Amino acid sequence: PWCFCWALLPALALALLGLAAAVGPRQTPALELAQEMAEELWSAGLPGDLPELEPECRSLLAAFAEGSAALTGCLGRRARPVRLCQGCHGHYRRLLAQYDSIARAVGNSSESHNCAKSILTSDRLQIVVTLSEFFNETWEAANCANCLKNNSEGLSNSTEEFLDLFNKSLTCFEHNLQGQSTDLSPNYTEVCKNCNETYTKLNDLYNHLQRMNRQGGESAHSAHLCIDVEDAMNITRKLWSRTFNCSLPCSDTVPVIAVSSFILFLPIVFYLSSFLHSKQKKRILILPKRIQSNANLVNIQEKYS
């Protein structure tokens, strides 16, 4: 019977708290009484197989929970347009430090449990490890390392240069579209003309960053730039080509035209040379016949003369 009573103590305490909460805020004395009874029941003693986290470990777990919530909120708010690497790298760095603190922390008391063991591997779900792996995989898939400095404390110089040109391009688009928002068939000629130089610089810089990344990248995501840069370039290209119907002159146009023209005239040159060569051979073959016929004619004339 005593074992049965000990087993009912937690349930009874939780039931009293739930009953007091259900009564509502008008019964403040009832809520206080329920809390006092619950505290008395808990202080009466619980079985020894339900160890609690020591204060240091609870503090580390709370910090990780707050960091996870902050990073999740940042990723959600910056999902469209994609600005993950720019706005969330600080949250991600702090979360890495918080997880590292849990993995290395040990309680102060000699009988305390290791915080890493208690928080990370004490149950089948391992929710802290799962959350950490999710954030790491998301960060790696976004390839944010290509946007940041080596210590991940801020954006790299090339990324800042690209974002500056990106903002200038959008500003140019917006400036040259003023007064055309109400037109049924807007004319984007001014946009294509006035923003061509800025857009060309942005496109050339993006292509340069892609080449540099492919030459020096060894990770699984090395074929991609960071998601912020890719998304910004995709937005700009869609506006330029689909919305404004602008075209960007290709730098390889002259060589392509030259090679195409050469290939196009090859058959003409071939047939012309073949014709001239065959005509020359024909002349060479006919010439002896004419000479022989003239000689025969001379012989005949001499014979009858």
Side-chain angles (χ1 to χ4, degrees):
W2 285 107
C3 294
F4 179 73
C5 293
W6 283 116
L8 287 179
L9 282 176
L12 182 58
L14 293 175
L16 287 171
L17 288 174
L19 178 61
V23 172
R26 297 180 181 177
Q27 303 292 335
T28 304
L31 180 59
E32 294 177 355
L33 179 61
Q35 290 176 345
E36 292 177 1
M37 293 180 64
E39 291 176 359
E40 290 178 1
L41 289 173
W42 281 102
S43 62
L46 291 174
D49 58 347
L50 296 176
E52 292 187 31
L53 288 175
E54 53 181 280
E56 180 185 353
C57 298
R58 283 200 303 269
S59 176
L60 292 173
L61 181 59
F64 181 85
E66 292 176 359
S68 300
L71 181 56
T72 302
C74 183
L75 295 176
R77 288 189 300 270
R78 297 175 179 272
R80 293 303 310 163
V82 183
R83 300 294 183 268
L84 306 182
C85 305
Q86 302 174 54
C88 302
H89 64 88
H91 294 293
Y92 180 69
R93 287 178 58 245
R94 283 190 291 271
L95 190 69
L96 289 180
Q98 290 162 353
Y99 184 85
D100 187 60
S101 298
I102 293 175
R104 294 184 294 102
V106 179
N108 294 326
S109 62
S110 58
E111 298 179 356
S112 64
H113 294 273
N114 186 303
C115 289
K117 181 178 180 181
S118 301
I119 297 175
L120 302 180
T121 61
S122 61
D123 57 81
R124 176 177 60 85
L125 189 58
Q126 299 181 5
I127 187 65
V128 174
V129 176
T130 303
L131 285 174
S132 178
E133 290 177 351
F134 165 75
F135 289 125
N136 289 334
E137 291 173 0
T138 302
W139 200 256
E140 184 179 356
N143 222 10
C144 289
N146 282 343
C147 284
L148 306 175
K149 298 178 181 178
N150 293 332
N151 52 7
S152 299
E153 292 182 355
L155 297 176
S156 62
N157 295 333
S158 59
T159 304
E160 289 183 348
E161 181 183 0
F162 175 86
L163 294 177
D164 181 63
L165 284 174
F166 170 70
N167 292 329
K168 288 181 179 178
S169 298
L170 295 184
T171 302
C172 184
F173 295 163
E174 183 179 1
H175 177 74
N176 288 273
L177 285 174
Q178 292 179 356
Q180 300 189 24
S181 58
T182 58
D183 296 345
L184 297 179
S185 56
N187 185 8
Y188 298 125
T189 305
E190 293 297 322
V191 178
C192 300
K193 177 182 177 181
N194 298 332
C195 303
N196 180 71
E197 182 179 356
T198 305
Y199 177 78
T200 302
K201 291 180 179 179
L202 179 68
N203 190 70
D204 292 343
L205 178 59
Y206 181 81
N207 293 334
H208 172 71
L209 294 176
Q210 271 192 325
R211 289 192 298 269
M212 296 297 294
N213 185 58
R214 288 170 181 169
Q215 292 175 1
E218 299 180 354
S219 63
H221 306 282
S222 60
H224 300 279
L225 296 172
C226 77
I227 190 65
D228 293 24
V229 172
E230 286 185 343
D231 186 70
M233 195 66 227
N234 288 338
I235 291 174
T236 312
R237 283 176 172 174
K238 287 179 181 178
L239 288 173
W240 182 261
S241 59
R242 297 183 184 180
T243 304
F244 306 143
N245 198 24
C246 301
S247 60
L248 185 65
C250 182
S251 59
D252 297 331
T253 302
V254 175
V256 169
I257 293 177
V259 173
S260 301
S261 302
F262 175 76
I263 296 175
L264 180 64
F265 282 100
L266 272 179
I268 300 175
V269 174
F270 172 75
Y271 285 113
L272 182 61
S273 61
S274 300
F275 174 75
L276 294 175
H277 183 68
S278 61
K279 189 174 182 180
Q280 186 177 5
K281 288 184 65 176
K282 186 176 181 180
R283 287 178 179 177
I284 295 174
L285 292 174
I286 293 175
L287 183 60
K289 293 182 179 179
R290 289 180 179 178
I291 295 174
Q292 186 177 2
S293 60
N294 293 333
N296 292 335
L297 180 60
V298 171
N299 292 332
I300 293 172
Q301 289 177 354
E302 290 178 353
K303 183 178 180 180
Y304 287 100
S305 61

